[in-house]
Amino acid sequence: MAMQETTYRDALKLALSEAMTADDSVIVMGEEVGRYGGAYGVTKNLISEFGPERVIDTPISEAAIVGAAVGAAMTGLRPVAELMYVDFIGMTMDQLANQAAKIRYMFGGQIGVPMVLRTQGGTGRSAGAQHSQSLEGYVMHTPGLRLAMPATVEDAYHLLRQALQQPDPVVFIEHKGLYTMKGVLDPDVEPAEWGRAKVLREGKDLVIVTYSRQVHHALAAAEEMASKHGIEAAVVDLRTLNPLDFDTIRPLVEQAGRAMVVSEGVMTGGVAAELAARITEECFDFLEDPVVRVAGEDIPISVSPLLEQNSVPTPDLIVETARKMFA
Amino acid sequence: MKNSTLPKLYEDMRRVRTFEERVGELFVRGQSAGSMLHLSIGEESAAVGVCAAMQDGDTFTTHHRGHGIFLARGADPNRMMAEIAGKDCGYCHGKGGSMHIADMGLGHLGANAIVGGGIPAVVGAGLSARHQKSGAVSVAFFGDGATGQGILYESMNMAALWKLPVMFVCINNQYGMGTRIDQATANPNLHERAEAFGLAARTVDGLDVEDVAEAATELMDGARAGTPAFLAVDCYRFYGHARKDKSPYRAEAEEDEGRKKDPVLRAREKLIEAGLMTEADLDALDATVAKEMDGSIDFAVAGEEPQMASMFRDVYDPSQPEPEPVRVRLDRVLAQG
Ligand SMILES: Cc1ncc(C[n+]2csc(CCOP(=O)(O)OP(=O)(O)O)c2C)c(N)n1
Ligand SMILES: [Mg+2]
């Protein structure tokens, strides 16, 4: 990798292409990943670089795509299967949750399933109820699956490279609203370790724990809190939800005494609920306020842009909530 | 000749084509909700020919490219266009959009953005029709891409096993996004799969809407009598997969050839040849249709945005409490402190 300014999308592509160059067993398979270059352009031109035997266009058969990746992973390949939208994960859930996630355990540790399932989720394109969801909760609720959700260009690259080194299945969920985001990849900067959260902003008053696109909403909100309301909020980007790096969160919350969890997924029974419960359990004696969840509304996403935008946390809602905590 | 249904079939196809052209305009004007608009230009004979064989009380589901099918079943273009623009006066109050238009009153059990997602519902509707002795048929419309989904085969098997009044209609426009049918299956003779399950099955060329209507009527009548059916309609997707797709994966020569399979043009020629309508009659009809569809754009653009409070409506039955908004909960929780 050379130092470069690039996009989230191209950083992902770079990670795939470098991994494929370094390791002949890495293959990419999914709908429209080859000739079309991926529905969001992540795999563009990979097929001319690596050929149709390693960049495999599949029929529209999600269950078999994931199932085939499981079998390939068990027999020596390192498949990267692409699920065009995370909304289709239900169609693959048996292969993912009953097969990929359980094979190592059920078979007494004989074999792992070192595959990556790349997909994307979230709102922002007026794509309607079946193409806008944030379903990381399904994955996080399944022991055996790792879960990475990059928020930045660096993490798009490094987390994907690291995912391809993992011994176990990784679900890698990109955000459709981030593909054109720009950032710098610098080979001289040591990448953060797999499984470690990053503190992107320091702050003594409040800890905001978040991931994926909401990291950017939280950072924008934290700036506004500081400049307009005198509240200094730390922002933690979890990067991976499994493994979950609680060691980074704990001291921050103990020091600030207040925590907020921000997630685009629906509030009830989701990732935000898990994180809030965990912080409450582990840091109870230090908390001055309940740990609040600023999360997606408990409703489907509408195609109407107005309703869509207001179905998930906005920077305004984060600021408003923080102010109430200090009122 | 006097009793020819071709003028009506032509009119219905022209309405579909013009409607879709206006949807394209709505997008270009930035007034559609999103860019996930899948136009059925080139596939009008499948929608109109099959719907001509349907009766009041029949039900159906469609895929994501379903505007034409619903129009052919009697949809109001104003409410359709408004839904595509995400407006409150649309069929689904701006919640569904282009890929999720439905109207239970007209038997439309729903358009679907999940490839294959709407197929099994017709098996259930077939069970209802049989149980209620309604005489209705339920029709699943889907694209060739959906033949990659296992659920199609599970559904066809059940329909055949239980002899349900069900019909499967595969609109084979040769592409699923950028993938040509022969790149997605080793055997593109799709009706053979249905035959293997014991359905009455045919493939028909979509160039001539009368051929489609004839094949559909025969199969639909059979389905109504308890022999479930499968019909593949061969056509060509004239434009990109969705509005932003310029189809760089197709050669221009192929597109030129494909667009020759134009069912609207073909019907027009036939009407003139048969002396059923003159060029002037047809132009006048086209102009009337254009006016109607222009009106649908005006209706959609003038429509109100949905009210914010409507966001929480219809997650559950109206008799039930709505989900509590995050803001309301946060206010309550933080007021304790
Ligand atoms: C389960 C599922 N997989 C993938 C997609 C993405 N997708 C939307 S339309 C489409 C192609 C469908 O092709 P076809 O069924 O032939 O319908 P057409 O678009 O040609 O009308 C794909 C892959 C989806 N919406 N749902
Ligand atoms: Mg198709």
Side-chain angles (χ1 to χ4, degrees):
Chain A
M1 193 225 301
M3 168 100 171
Q4 56 192 288
E5 188 180 4
T6 184
T7 59
Y8 186 84
R9 169 192 287 134
D10 288 342
L12 291 161
K13 184 168 72 182
L14 184 67
L16 286 174
S17 136
E18 289 189 357
M20 292 180 84
T21 303
D23 178 355
D24 183 57
S25 69
V26 177
I27 61 160
V28 169
M29 62 190 293
E31 295 156 17
E32 306 297 329
V33 298
R35 284 175 300 265
Y36 196 94
Y40 283 90
V42 172
T43 54
K44 203 173 197 111
N45 298 329
L46 277 189
I47 193 169
S48 37
E49 212 178 327
F50 298 101
E53 289 196 2
R54 291 182 69 197
V55 182
I56 305 171
D57 279 318
T58 66
I60 307 172
S61 308
E62 285 79 8
I65 293 167
V66 174
V70 170
M74 291 174 75
T75 50
L77 296 184
R78 266 216 177 253
V80 182
E82 178 175 315
L83 185 61
M84 202 182 282
Y85 285 76
V86 77
D87 307 68
F88 314 152
I89 202 168
M91 315 178 82
T92 75
M93 213 60 194
D94 174 65
Q95 293 303 319
L96 202 55
N98 285 325
Q99 316 304 333
K102 295 186 174 53
I103 278 169
R104 183 187 293 281
Y105 190 84
M106 286 189 305
F107 300 155
Q110 291 181 61
I111 197 166
V113 183
M115 61 174 279
V116 174
L117 180 62
R118 272 190 53 243
T119 185
Q120 57 79 29
T123 57
R125 292 180 55 89
S126 196
Q130 297 172 339
H131 280 66
S132 306
Q133 299 172 85
S134 298
L135 299 179
E136 56 272 19
Y138 292 7
V139 179
M140 200 184 187
H141 196 63
T142 306
L145 299 178
R146 298 299 189 186
L147 174 57
M149 296 188 69
T152 63
V153 170
E154 298 97 290
D155 278 345
Y157 175 83
H158 290 296
L159 283 176
L160 189 49
R161 290 296 313 255
Q162 291 166 344
L164 276 159
Q165 304 290 326
Q166 296 307 307
D168 295 307
V170 178
V171 180
F172 190 95
I173 309 180
E174 299 149 21
H175 195 292
K176 64 169 72 62
L178 295 180
Y179 283 123
T180 55
M181 181 181 63
K182 290 207 170 87
V184 175
L185 287 180
D186 182 349
D188 294 333
V189 175
E190 189 66 19
E193 241 176 277
W194 172 261
R196 281 269 162 230
K198 257 192 207 164
V199 183
L200 295 185
R201 188 182 194 284
E202 310 275 346
K204 61 179 182 8
D205 301 327
L206 167 68
V207 182
I208 304 178
V209 178
T210 185
Y211 59 93
S212 191
R213 186 180 61 164
Q214 290 296 335
V215 165
H216 303 284
H217 288 184
L219 286 170
E223 285 307 313
E224 186 175 328
M225 284 175 213
S227 63
K228 294 205 187 131
H229 309 294
I231 302 168
E232 289 297 337
V235 175
V236 179
D237 175 4
L238 289 172
R239 306 172 64 247
T240 59
L241 294 170
N242 183 343
L244 181 67
D245 176 14
F246 207 79
D247 292 342
T248 297
I249 302 171
R250 187 185 295 105
L252 296 173
V253 175
E254 288 180 357
Q255 196 251 325
R258 286 187 173 85
M260 177 196 292
V261 177
V262 183
S263 160
E264 198 167 315
V266 298
M267 184 183 69
T268 299
V271 169
E274 168 59 28
L275 293 171
R278 185 84 190 264
I279 296 171
T280 305
E281 281 173 356
E282 301 227 16
C283 308
F284 189 74
D285 289 342
F286 298 85
L287 290 172
E288 290 174 40
D289 257 326
V291 180
V292 292
R293 285 172 289 164
V294 178
E297 301 286 354
D298 285 326
I299 62 175
I301 305 292
S302 291
V303 83
S304 149
L306 178 74
L307 301 190
E308 179 191 27
Q309 282 153 26
N310 287 285
S311 297
V312 299
T314 56
D316 284 350
L317 181 61
I318 298 170
V319 173
E320 192 186 310
T321 307
R323 293 186 65 196
K324 282 177 198 154
M325 295 176 89
F326 289 93
Chain B
M1 270 297 175
K2 276 264 150 50
N3 297 327
S4 170
T5 54
L6 190 55
K8 169 81 168 106
L9 294 172
Y10 173 81
E11 181 179 347
D12 285 356
M13 288 199 296
R14 174 58 71 192
R15 289 180 77 243
V16 172
R17 170 130 341 156
T18 308
F19 180 83
E20 296 288 48
E21 287 166 356
R22 296 298 180 274
V23 172
E25 269 172 46
L26 197 72
F27 170 71
V28 171
R29 289 163 56 168
Q31 283 163 325
S32 65
S35 66
M36 294 192 121
L37 304 173
H38 308 89
L39 305 186
S40 63
I41 294 178
E43 310 176 6
E44 294 87 351
S45 65
V48 169
V50 174
C51 287
M54 292 175 72
Q55 299 178 2
D56 286 354
D58 288 350
T59 57
F60 62 105
T61 61
T62 80
H63 58 336
H64 54 282
R65 202 179 299 282
H67 302 157
I69 298 159
F70 189 27
L71 271 177
R73 279 307 289 152
D76 170 3
N78 286 353
R79 291 180 66 202
M80 281 188 70
M81 197 65 84
E83 187 58 36
I84 293 164
K87 297 298 181 68
D88 187 45
C89 53
Y91 267 106
C92 308
H93 301 293
K95 284 186 166 138
S98 163
M99 297 196 289
H100 304 295
I101 296 181
D103 181 33
M104 301 308 136
L106 290 172
H108 191 351
L109 303 182
N112 220 296
I114 300 297
V115 170
I119 294 174
V122 303
V123 174
L127 286 171
S128 291
R130 190 172 72 180
H131 187 73
Q132 295 156 354
K133 301 189 172 44
S134 67
V137 173
S138 194
V139 185
F141 292 90
F142 50 90
D144 47 288
T147 63
Q149 294 288 6
I151 203 159
L152 170 63
Y153 306 100
E154 299 175 25
S155 301
M156 291 202 297
N157 185 49
M158 284 182 182
L161 181 66
W162 298 329
K163 301 188 170 38
L164 296 176
V166 162
M167 184 158 161
F168 300 90
V169 177
C170 179
I171 302 180
N172 183 359
N173 61 11
Q174 314 302 322
Y175 279 87
M177 289 187 72
T179 302
R180 216 174 47 229
I181 178 83
D182 59 291
Q183 296 162 335
T185 178
N187 177 4
N189 298 321
L190 302 176
H191 66 269
E192 290 176 5
R193 304 179 190 188
E195 272 166 4
F197 285 101
L199 281 81
R202 283 181 59 180
T203 294
V204 67
D205 187 338
L207 175 62
D208 189 329
V209 67
E210 289 188 300
D211 291 347
V212 178
E214 192 190 304
T217 303
E218 189 189 310
L219 291 170
M220 191 95 57
D221 290 350
R224 216 175 288 284
T227 304
F230 175 98
L231 179 65
V233 183
D234 272 339
C235 46
Y236 191 75
R237 195 190 73 204
F238 277 21
Y239 300 106
H241 167 68
R243 282 320 285 155
K244 281 188 175 158
D245 175 26
K246 303 262 188 297
S247 314
Y249 43 84
R250 310 201 293 201
E252 216 167 295
E254 180 204 299
E255 293 200 327
D256 291 346
E257 196 54 36
R259 289 186 193 131
K260 283 189 190 150
K261 204 184 232 184
D262 184 337
V264 180
L265 206 63
R266 177 83 188 108
R268 207 182 152 95
E269 288 162 3
K270 275 181 79 176
L271 284 166
I272 294 169
E273 275 165 30
L276 286 165
M277 290 177 87
T278 65
E279 189 99 39
D281 294 338
L282 287 159
D283 288 346
L285 173 63
D286 291 358
T288 310
V289 169
K291 216 164 142 198
E292 180 194 9
M293 298 308 167
D294 285 341
S296 74
I297 290 221
D298 297 341
F299 180 86
V301 170
E304 304 276 340
E305 297 286 339
Q307 297 282 316
M308 283 278 279
S310 75
M311 214 158 88
F312 300 94
R313 196 177 303 147
D314 295 326
V315 182
Y316 303 102
D317 184 84
S319 68
Q320 306 293 310
E322 290 178 356
E324 184 179 36
V326 166
R327 259 199 179 79
V328 173
R329 181 185 53 83
L330 288 170
D331 276 345
R332 199 161 36 72
V333 168
L334 292 172
Q336 293 167 3

